[in-house]
Amino acid sequence: MKPMDLREFALDALLESDPDRKCERVDAIWHAQAQWLINPSATPVATRASALPGRPVRPRLVPPHQVPMRSVHTPWGRAALLHAICHIEFNAINLGLDAVWRFGNMPEEFYRDWMQVAHEEADHFRMLRTILQDMVIDERACEYGDFDAHDGLWQMCEKTAHDVTARMALVPRTLEARGLDATPMIQDKLLQVPAPDALAVREALNVILRDEIGHVAIGNRWYHWCCQLHQLDPVVHMHRLQQEFEAPALKPPFNVQARKQAGFTDTELEYLGVV
């Protein structure tokens, strides 16, 4: 079998703009693990990075405050909510792929971990998109791209492109960890709605929450690895990074159990104001 340069192939998948083809590329990479060639010291063709990330023309990207509030008690409101979560999962595919190609000189397990994240995020995206496409409102089927979305996740990805420690701290440990807090609240709201699509989203969120605990745990593992390598206090450095990169402030309520499962220590949670 011909070896597959994992980091180069991850960059190719990241550059793909069509959601279906991006997911197919991720699947193909994941299922070819026996052929992976991982070269941490190599530098994939970075000149292509100006086209990152590959994504479709729609949805239209707007500032977060311009994304309207979504009520779960109307079909359009549930579709808009589902679309927002779908958009997060699509961005998360790109975040996983970006970690694989961008950061050199890391242990091989780092690249395997983040390729696993990209693969699971692709599964999440397709699962949610299928539910969205099954929603027919005013005789019109819904689709990814029908609603405006914001680009907060990828913007933080760009801001931390030069610093793997900052990336691990502020993407999985901060932005994605917020999803651990938000998911139970979304599920509780959907529990009030006796509609098949609401039930389908709640069940999908069960799968996503389980996997996202693992993704945040991967971020925790590599953040602490980086801190140990550079002799940094992980709690103090986390606070420094949040200030330097103007990370969003954490807001209660917090899913303390999920955060602990994802590897946050009591000391970290107390320092972050979670407990």
Side-chain angles (χ1 to χ4, degrees):
M1 293 184 180
K2 184 178 179 181
M4 170 187 290
D5 186 323
L6 175 60
R7 297 179 65 210
E8 186 68 41
F9 273 71
L11 178 55
D12 288 340
L14 181 58
L15 286 160
E16 175 58 60
S17 59
D18 180 86
D20 289 323
R21 289 198 294 269
K22 185 185 291 285
C23 291
E24 289 167 2
R25 283 176 178 264
V26 170
D27 280 351
I29 297 170
W30 181 249
H31 293 299
Q33 291 183 48
Q35 299 166 246
W36 285 1
L37 172 65
I38 303 176
N39 188 347
S41 63
T43 303
V45 185
T47 54
R48 294 184 286 164
S50 60
L52 296 180
R55 53 189 169 194
V57 175
R58 300 173 65 232
R60 185 174 70 116
L61 299 177
V62 300
H65 68 273
Q66 291 185 19
V67 178
M69 298 293 289
R70 312 165 190 95
S71 169
V72 299
H73 296 286
T74 67
W76 275 116
R78 292 194 300 279
L81 173 64
L82 176 54
H83 186 277
I85 304 170
C86 198
H87 179 67
I88 290 171
E89 299 303 315
F90 183 77
N91 270 284
I93 302 171
N94 289 332
L95 295 172
L97 293 170
D98 190 78
V100 174
W101 91 267
R102 184 177 297 278
F103 298 113
N105 301 310
M106 296 293 287
E108 286 193 7
E109 195 59 29
F110 174 89
Y111 304 104
R112 296 184 184 277
D113 278 349
W114 286 105
M115 196 64 228
Q116 175 185 337
V117 170
H119 171 64
E120 292 177 351
E121 301 291 15
D123 283 344
H124 297 169
F125 172 75
R126 283 181 295 209
M127 177 170 55
L128 293 170
R129 188 184 184 192
T130 298
I131 300 171
L132 184 65
Q133 291 170 330
D134 286 341
M135 294 185 71
V136 178
I137 304 172
D138 297 333
E139 300 183 349
R140 177 176 175 271
C142 298
E143 179 55 278
Y144 176 59
D146 284 351
F147 298 85
D148 290 347
H150 70 78
D151 202 27
L153 271 174
W154 186 257
Q155 287 173 356
M156 184 59 76
C157 188
E158 290 181 327
K159 289 168 69 173
T160 57
H162 64 288
D163 185 341
V164 65
T165 309
R167 172 68 63 84
M168 296 299 104
L170 300 178
V171 176
R173 279 172 51 88
T174 299
L175 297 183
E176 292 190 279
R178 292 173 74 188
L180 304 184
D181 303 326
T183 297
M185 293 187 292
I186 295 171
Q187 290 180 304
D188 287 344
K189 289 181 180 179
L190 291 170
L191 191 61
Q192 305 169 23
V193 182
D197 57 84
L199 175 60
V201 175
R202 285 184 64 242
E203 292 177 345
L205 288 175
N206 284 332
V207 175
I208 291 172
L209 179 59
R210 178 201 66 202
D211 291 346
E212 294 298 341
I213 288 172
H215 300 171
V216 176
I218 286 171
N220 266 318
R221 181 185 315 136
W222 290 110
Y223 172 71
H224 283 277
W225 184 90
C226 291
C227 286
Q228 185 175 9
L229 179 68
H230 298 292
Q231 298 182 324
L232 299 168
D233 182 305
V235 175
V236 174
H237 192 60
M238 182 74 182
H239 182 65
R240 184 182 303 129
L241 290 171
Q242 288 177 317
Q243 291 185 316
E244 178 183 348
F245 289 89
E246 299 179 338
L250 295 177
K251 298 178 181 179
F254 300 110
N255 189 341
V256 176
Q257 180 181 359
R259 283 177 173 267
K260 287 184 175 182
Q261 286 180 276
F264 284 96
T265 66
D266 288 338
T267 301
E268 287 176 319
L269 294 175
E270 182 177 356
Y271 196 87
L272 294 171
V274 173
V275 294

